[in-house]
Amino acid sequence: MSDEKQVEWYEDDKMWEIMEPVLFTEARIAHTSNEVDAIKSLCKIQPDDAILDLCCGVGRHSLEFARRGHKVVGVDRTKLYLERAKKAAKDEKLNIEFVLDDMRTFYRKKSFDVVLSMFTSFSYFDDHEEQMLVLRNIYASLRAGGRFILESMGKEILARIFNRHSWSEWPHGFMLEEREAIDNWSKMHNKWIFIQKDGAVRRWDVVHWIYSGAEIKDMLESVGFSDVKVFGGSDGRAYDNEALRLVVIATK
Ligand SMILES: C[S@@+](CC[C@H](N)C(=O)[O-])C[C@H]1O[C@@H](n2cnc3c(N)ncnc32)[C@H](O)[C@@H]1O
């Protein structure tokens, strides 16, 4: 038997490389300015607020907040994405600090007024304690009165729109997805198969936690957050049977 440790899906650089065009489409990048408008209004962001963009990816929110004059730090574990983000910042002459780090280890004590976790960037770690560690790091990085915004897919929404199989075509290949709710609906098991145009086939088992509005609220309160508000979209709609996304704002 091999002693080699299996790389977790979220630590697989090849996966993030192949998923880059799927995750960061032109339409999604173009929509970022609207998202930032919504975040500003939901989090009551002030002109001097310092922003931490946790799991910043290619830096679309970091760049937009910096364009609007905010001091921004973007953190991500994927080198390729940070290179993209740094180049974009340099091209626009924006002063943004990009840090290659893991959300389980990164924190800067009382340094930020707002922490962002956008586009389903939380919930990856198998061990619940690691999820809580990320929340404690976020809490530690915020100044008193600071806000944390988490934007993800809620369990109730997934149950309502559940689709076991889907496939999609991309410029570099075809993506097949199969989904299964596991561990009594506490996690989603996504089987991703990507067939590249050159015929190469890649497979990943993407397993992550899925939280209900009430579960995530309890988790945030248990690390010390207060005034935890749960919305069904970044436009501030209710988290009810018509919710589109799970958006949570919590205050330190
Ligand atoms: C779905 S993308 C979202 C990116 C960005 N927030 C956005 O809205 O465009 C998730 C990001 O999480 C990063 N990531 C995954 N695991 C991580 C970890 N353990 N620590 C830090 N970043 C991580 C990935 O590299 C990826 O950029």
Side-chain angles (χ1 to χ4, degrees):
M1 215 164 79
S2 159
D3 284 344
E4 224 173 275
K5 192 180 178 285
Q6 183 92 30
V7 173
E8 299 289 352
W9 65 267
Y10 51 81
E11 290 176 341
D12 183 342
D13 288 328
K14 197 72 200 168
M15 195 275 294
W16 292 114
E17 184 191 322
I18 289 174
M19 284 302 133
E20 185 184 0
V22 176
L23 293 172
F24 309 114
T25 58
E26 258 177 51
R28 179 159 282 122
I29 305 265
H31 187 59
T32 309
S33 167
N34 293 341
E35 277 183 68
V36 168
D37 286 342
I39 298 167
K40 283 188 79 168
S41 137
L42 277 183
C43 295
K44 300 188 177 56
I45 291 181
Q46 303 302 307
D48 286 343
D49 280 353
I51 316 280
L52 169 61
D53 186 6
L54 198 59
C55 304
C56 63
V58 294
R60 57 196 187 100
H61 300 98
S62 296
L63 292 158
E64 188 57 29
F65 272 104
R67 284 179 199 122
R68 297 177 189 209
H70 289 276
K71 184 172 182 276
V72 182
V73 176
V75 175
D76 203 283
R77 54 86 44 219
T78 303
K79 210 169 156 208
L80 173 72
Y81 289 178
L82 285 192
E83 279 163 11
R84 300 265 195 259
K86 280 181 192 165
K87 183 177 181 310
K90 195 172 167 216
D91 288 350
E92 288 192 50
K93 297 189 174 51
L94 294 169
N95 186 18
I96 305 174
E97 182 188 350
F98 287 109
V99 181
L100 182 71
D101 205 346
D102 192 293
M103 61 179 135
R104 290 164 291 185
T105 44
F106 180 88
Y107 73 92
R108 267 186 207 168
K109 232 173 166 188
K110 298 183 188 166
S111 302
F112 301 98
D113 303 291
V114 177
V115 177
L116 318 175
S117 175
M118 300 300 293
F119 186 23
T120 323
S121 296
F122 182 72
S123 74
Y124 296 171
F125 310 115
D126 188 47
D127 180 358
H128 172 72
E129 274 314 304
E130 289 193 297
Q131 299 299 132
M132 297 307 290
L133 174 62
V134 175
L135 294 184
R136 280 194 289 275
N137 286 344
I138 292 167
Y139 191 81
S141 294
L142 282 168
R143 300 188 178 118
R147 285 84 67 215
F148 170 46
I149 177 165
L150 176 95
E151 193 271 335
S152 194
M153 184 49 94
K155 186 185 311 206
E156 295 87 345
I157 308 169
L158 271 171
R160 190 187 76 220
I161 64 168
F162 191 77
N163 188 1
R164 179 173 289 279
H165 300 110
S166 62
W167 72 273
S168 50
E169 185 176 358
W170 300 91
H172 61 316
F174 296 91
M175 180 151 174
L176 316 182
E177 298 176 65
E178 184 179 331
R179 306 173 187 85
E180 187 188 5
I182 58 168
D183 298 349
N184 309 314
W185 267 95
S186 59
K187 289 178 184 160
M188 192 55 61
H189 180 181
N190 305 276
K191 283 189 190 161
W192 286 358
I193 300 174
F194 199 90
I195 306 165
Q196 289 173 237
K197 288 265 160 94
D198 65 7
V201 180
R202 308 254 175 191
R203 293 164 203 273
W204 298 277
D205 284 293
V206 174
V207 178
H208 62 85
W209 290 84
I210 41 173
Y211 299 113
S212 71
E215 284 165 348
I216 194 73
K217 186 170 190 280
D218 282 351
M219 287 165 69
L220 287 160
E221 285 172 349
S222 77
V223 302
F225 281 103
S226 56
D227 195 20
V228 180
K229 294 195 177 82
V230 180
F231 299 101
S234 44
D235 56 0
R237 71 180 64 205
Y239 192 70
D240 59 14
N241 48 297
E242 288 173 8
L244 301 174
R245 299 282 290 168
L246 173 65
V247 177
V248 188
I249 316 282
T251 304
K252 177 164 174 178

